[in-house]
Amino acid sequence: MSGGNTFLGMPAFPQNAAAAVQDSQLRFNLRKATHTIRGKRASVVAELPDWEELRTAGKEIKDHTLRNLERYLLQLEEAVTAAGGHVHWAADAEEANRIVAGLVKATGETTVVKVKSMATQEIGLNEALEDQGISAYETDLAELIVQLGDDWPSHILVPAIHRNRSEIREIFQEKMASFGRAAPEGLTDEPRALAEAARLHLRERFLSTKVAISGANFMIAETGTLVVLESEGNGRMCLTLPETLISVVGIEKLLPTWQDLEVFLQLLPRSSTGERMNPYTSTWTGAVEGQEFHLVLLDNGRTRVLADEVGRQALRCIRCSACLNVCPVYERAGGHAYGSVYPGPIGAILTPQLRGMESELDASLPYASTLCGACFEACPVAIDIPEVLIHLRGKARHPRAERLGMRAAGWVLNSPARLAGAQRLGGRLRRFVPGRLPGPLSAWTDTRDIPDIPAESFRDWWGRTDGGTR
Amino acid sequence: MRVALFITCVNDTLFPGTGRAVVTLLRRLGCDIEFPQAQTCCGQMHVNTGYPEEGRRLARHFLDVFAGYDAVVAPSGSCAAMVREQYPRLVGTDEAAATVPKVHELSEFLVDVLGVTDVGASFPHRVTYHPTCHSLRGLHLGDRPTRLLQQVRGLELVPLPGAEECCGFGGTFAVKNPAVSAAMCGDKVGNIMATGAEVLCAADNSCLMHIGGTLKRQRAGVRIMHLAEILATTEATR
């Protein structure tokens, strides 16, 4: 089953990506999907003359909230409690999973339905519940595909972006029966047929399950309201039908007031699905008649991120995935290469901050970018992803050979005389430079020719000719 | 106006022809230029690879060398973006305030400071232009380089499909993530070849080095030329 824990122990990004770029089907699927969403996003964003102002407003509301997070979280807790809900605080993944498992067990149920949620994937909730004898069923179409296929999500918005229609048909035919209602006989790979198979499978699930688990896109401090945006309506089924609703939400998802939501209801759909507004916006405040409500507020590294002056802007993220869809590295490497439920540019800055950079994989993530800046330009809350990448690189452990090389380069470049000397030496030895370079530099000459080294540097030419006048 | 040339370490060492072209071009346009000999490197490689201390030393050196000039011209979008975008963060706004705003990328200097788009060049070839990420999204050069190219006699400018996509160089990215870098450059080269251009032009030799190295390996027969080299060419020198 899908989940955050599965990713631990993966090799570093360059190895994962090198394998992925060989998969031509994957590259075709990714290119087609990201370019389609990219185009849709660009056209609906261009419709709004005040997009930049909205973007600034989104950034500032989030920054203000993060600066006053404690105050707003307490206000939220008070409002949720007053409305009949129960609030739980979880410092890390383990504590959050324990709380949720305990809440489910208290109901006496052994199955739960889930609304697509990044936070529960981040903490590996499905696996933790399974260990406690509780089966968690994903109800978002793409998450269902990932779960049935015993696969990992590879995109924030479109978790099964790496799969094509015929692969999905095979997964449905082979796996649906063991999870509930089987796929219909003679299932084709027509989108309509696949959607209908999922609809029938899920409907049975909605009507028979008494506990639901969701995340939330936003939480509003002043009213204690939680908000979920979705496209299929399955979320709404989960939020309203079951007798117990448990929402697991990262503490950074807060907005101070109901009015602030207006900004994000414009920013999010346009950035993520390329739509002017999203099809289903569900809001709920505390418990309603016939339903018990629990809110689990998740830290799991977020307060540590908040303590980093440069890195904290990653907590503004509203999980729209616009940065993934414009990222040339994501497009070639695919989401799995990032080894986290948060792939792409945002994953490259969020994951190593949430998890720390001890593992080889996490230390390689800040380097999974050319710093081309397309992500920053697309981000609806103006997260300067290149800035954070560079900041994290400055904190990363470096390989010894690189450290020595950089120190040597720094020593040469720190003095014009030494630089000129090195240039003259290079000019003299230029005939001996091999076509294939050794060591890590062979990565360059595997696919590219190195430029011819000139006999005379610019500075020597300038000196010799007195700036070209002699 | 005292104009200092910041030739950049990559150009100085590997592409001196670009530096000489800048000299020819700016002299032709009547600029009195100087090449401060103490200059070395803007520090971009160190900072972007995760060595901010070395980068900071190089940044301070840069600011010392170029402090007294009215304008500093660099034939590199990424080095100019490094100075303008990252120096204030790296060394502090106060230290950067006096020198950083005077640093111009070549096409900015020509169009915004000198106010020219016709530089009297002549280059009768089919050319396609790759805007490079730092020129495009760092400096927001917009159409300044192509406006300059459009005024060159005989030059046929053909649009590059997917022009705004990164070529996959990214400094040390090309060495740290070689597979993805090669895949990105492969797509870029395919787009360049689809234009039927004889020459690929850009305002940054580091990107051109990466794309050019791939073009050469694939024996594509497309030449790379820095914007300055095309703009420096006249009927007399062609």
Side-chain angles (χ1 to χ4, degrees):
Chain A
M1 282 209 202
S2 63
N5 295 335
T6 335
F7 289 116
L8 293 175
M10 272 179 91
F13 181 84
Q15 284 87 49
N16 296 335
V21 295
Q22 301 295 325
D23 185 342
S24 53
Q25 178 72 63
L26 173 73
R27 273 181 69 183
F28 177 83
N29 294 352
L30 280 171
R31 182 177 169 80
K32 190 162 186 279
T34 55
H35 282 246
T36 305
I37 312 177
R38 192 190 293 191
K40 277 176 73 185
R41 177 199 159 270
S43 68
V44 295
V45 162
E47 287 174 355
L48 291 188
D50 60 345
W51 181 255
E52 281 308 315
E53 285 84 355
L54 268 174
R55 195 172 174 240
T56 307
K59 170 183 184 278
E60 282 174 2
I61 292 169
K62 279 282 184 184
D63 278 347
H64 166 82
T65 316
L66 289 169
R67 274 199 303 275
N68 301 280
L69 195 59
E70 191 185 338
R71 170 155 71 91
Y72 287 124
L73 281 170
L74 292 174
Q75 192 186 0
L76 175 85
E77 180 183 36
E78 203 176 290
V80 171
T81 310
H86 305 276
V87 176
H88 312 261
W89 300 81
D92 55 19
E94 204 242 309
E95 190 176 7
N97 289 334
R98 199 172 58 232
I99 292 168
V100 175
L103 291 169
V104 178
K105 279 185 175 172
T107 66
E109 295 294 319
T110 55
T111 58
V112 301
V113 283
K114 285 189 67 205
V115 186
K116 181 184 176 341
S117 140
M118 298 306 296
T120 60
Q121 286 183 358
E122 177 191 319
I123 60 176
L125 179 66
N126 292 10
E127 293 78 1
L129 291 177
E130 201 171 276
D131 289 345
Q132 301 288 316
I134 299 161
S135 306
Y137 293 100
E138 296 291 346
T139 66
D140 171 82
L141 177 55
E143 291 291 355
L144 177 71
I145 295 164
V146 169
Q147 188 174 36
L148 292 175
D150 198 18
D151 195 1
W152 300 335
S154 71
H155 189 282
I156 291 174
L157 177 76
V158 200
I161 196 170
H162 56 293
R163 298 290 201 180
N164 63 26
R165 284 194 272 148
S166 71
E167 289 175 292
I168 294 166
R169 188 191 74 96
E170 279 170 37
I171 291 169
F172 279 10
Q173 271 191 326
E174 282 174 27
K175 297 286 181 59
M176 256 184 183
S178 58
F179 279 72
R181 185 183 173 121
E185 287 283 316
L187 178 65
T188 69
D189 68 1
E190 285 299 304
R192 179 198 288 268
L194 295 173
E196 186 60 16
R199 186 198 301 270
L200 294 171
H201 178 85
L202 289 171
R203 180 154 301 168
E204 196 178 270
R205 185 69 67 205
F206 292 135
L207 293 171
S208 61
T209 312
K210 296 200 165 70
V211 182
I213 298 175
S214 84
N217 293 92
F218 305 102
M219 303 187 287
I220 295 159
E222 69 170 352
T223 57
T225 307
L226 273 70
V227 186
V228 157
L229 278 69
E230 44 131 3
S231 300
E232 297 166 13
N234 57 338
R236 180 161 291 186
M237 301 287 267
C238 294
L239 294 167
T240 53
L241 287 174
E243 291 164 12
T244 304
L245 173 60
I246 304 165
S247 300
V248 182
V249 189
I251 51 173
E252 83 285 13
K253 294 267 163 177
L254 214 51
L255 299 176
T257 69
W258 181 259
Q259 202 180 343
D260 295 324
L261 190 59
E262 168 215 20
V263 173
F264 296 92
L265 291 183
Q266 297 180 71
L267 287 174
L268 183 53
R270 283 179 201 260
S271 303
S272 60
T273 51
E275 291 166 307
R276 295 182 183 92
M277 66 185 286
N278 65 293
Y280 295 93
T281 302
S282 301
T283 69
W284 66 102
T285 307
V288 291
E289 207 182 310
Q291 192 182 56
E292 195 176 333
F293 171 63
H294 295 272
L295 170 60
V296 180
L297 291 168
L298 177 71
D299 186 324
N300 204 31
R302 285 161 174 76
T303 47
R304 196 175 58 224
V305 182
L306 200 55
D308 186 308
E309 271 179 52
V310 179
R312 69 170 63 136
Q313 55 186 306
L315 296 179
R316 291 206 294 260
C317 176
I318 55 172
R319 311 285 189 262
C320 72
S321 64
C323 62
L324 277 63
N325 298 328
V326 297
C327 178
V329 175
Y330 174 85
E331 185 186 322
R332 273 87 183 175
H336 291 160
Y338 295 80
S340 147
V341 295
Y342 304 113
I346 186 65
I349 62 168
L350 194 56
T351 306
Q353 292 200 89
L354 288 175
R355 294 206 295 224
M357 289 200 284
E358 285 75 34
S359 78
E360 204 194 337
L361 172 67
D362 290 324
S364 73
L365 288 176
Y367 291 94
S369 166
T370 64
L371 308 176
C372 83
C375 50
F376 178 28
E377 206 173 64
C379 179
V381 285
I383 302 170
D384 191 342
I385 295 177
E387 183 192 14
V388 182
L389 287 166
I390 291 170
H391 172 70
L392 294 176
R393 289 176 187 189
K395 303 205 297 187
R397 276 177 294 111
H398 303 295
R400 200 177 121 81
E402 182 188 289
R403 234 166 37 229
L404 293 173
M406 284 289 169
R407 205 176 295 157
W411 184 77
V412 169
L413 292 170
N414 250 313
S415 136
R418 288 197 287 264
L419 175 58
Q423 285 167 340
R424 274 170 218 140
L425 187 68
R428 229 169 283 145
L429 297 176
R430 68 203 181 99
R431 306 241 174 269
F432 303 106
V433 175
R436 305 265 163 164
L437 296 174
L441 294 176
S442 67
W444 180 272
T445 52
D446 281 348
T447 59
R448 287 157 286 225
D449 284 356
I450 48 172
D452 295 329
I453 296 173
E456 186 181 47
S457 68
F458 176 85
R459 77 177 56 232
D460 279 356
W461 170 82
W462 181 279
R464 180 172 61 79
T465 63
D466 198 11
T469 57
R470 270 206 308 256
Chain B
M1 185 161 66
R2 286 185 75 206
V3 180
L5 301 179
F6 172 48
I7 292 302
T8 85
C9 62
V10 168
N11 287 323
D12 181 10
T13 310
L14 293 173
F15 302 95
T18 296
R20 294 196 298 268
V22 175
V23 172
T24 307
L25 175 65
L26 293 184
R27 287 239 173 87
R28 195 170 76 219
L29 296 171
C31 291
D32 197 8
I33 48 175
E34 291 177 45
F35 174 74
Q37 302 269 348
Q39 65 179 274
T40 57
C41 165
C42 67
Q44 185 182 182
M45 178 179 75
H46 283 97
V47 171
N48 285 3
T49 312
Y51 298 82
E53 270 318 311
E54 275 92 344
R56 199 167 288 126
R57 267 203 294 279
L58 291 168
R60 294 225 161 92
H61 178 71
F62 179 99
L63 294 174
D64 281 348
V65 170
F66 290 102
Y69 294 92
D70 301 316
V72 181
V73 183
S76 162
S78 77
C79 301
M82 169 72 195
V83 174
R84 286 235 297 265
E85 281 198 312
Q86 297 202 45
Y87 273 22
R89 290 203 282 256
L90 195 63
V91 299
T93 358
D94 291 346
E95 229 175 309
T99 308
V100 165
K102 297 183 298 197
V103 176
H104 308 278
E105 184 277 334
L106 177 66
S107 71
E108 276 178 330
F109 182 73
L110 296 173
V111 175
D112 301 352
V113 182
L114 297 186
V116 289
T117 47
D118 184 350
V119 297
S122 169
F123 190 77
H125 296 282
R126 198 174 161 89
V127 175
T128 194
Y129 180 76
H130 169 56
T132 81
C133 301
H134 290 141
S135 300
L136 193 68
R137 286 178 286 266
L139 292 177
H140 302 284
L141 287 188
D143 63 355
R144 289 180 185 85
T146 45
R147 274 158 65 200
L148 289 158
L149 287 171
Q150 273 155 356
Q151 299 295 322
V152 175
R153 315 289 177 266
L155 187 145
E156 185 196 351
L157 187 63
V158 284
L160 177 63
E164 302 195 349
E165 282 194 35
C166 177
C167 69
F169 174 59
T172 40
F173 178 84
V175 175
K176 281 182 175 279
N177 283 284
V180 179
S181 171
M184 288 166 70
C185 200
D187 292 345
K188 182 60 73 182
V189 162
N191 285 333
I192 292 165
M193 287 167 75
T195 64
E198 300 160 67
V199 175
L200 171 71
C201 175
D204 224 312
N205 271 326
S206 46
C207 309
L208 282 175
M209 174 174 73
H210 167 72
I211 304 170
T214 309
L215 283 165
K216 210 168 153 197
R217 178 64 59 87
Q218 297 188 5
R219 297 167 195 265
V222 181
R223 263 195 303 160
I224 55 162
M225 277 179 89
H226 191 281
L227 177 68
E229 292 165 22
I230 292 181
L231 298 182
T233 308
T234 60
E235 264 167 66
T237 60
R238 210 162 68 202

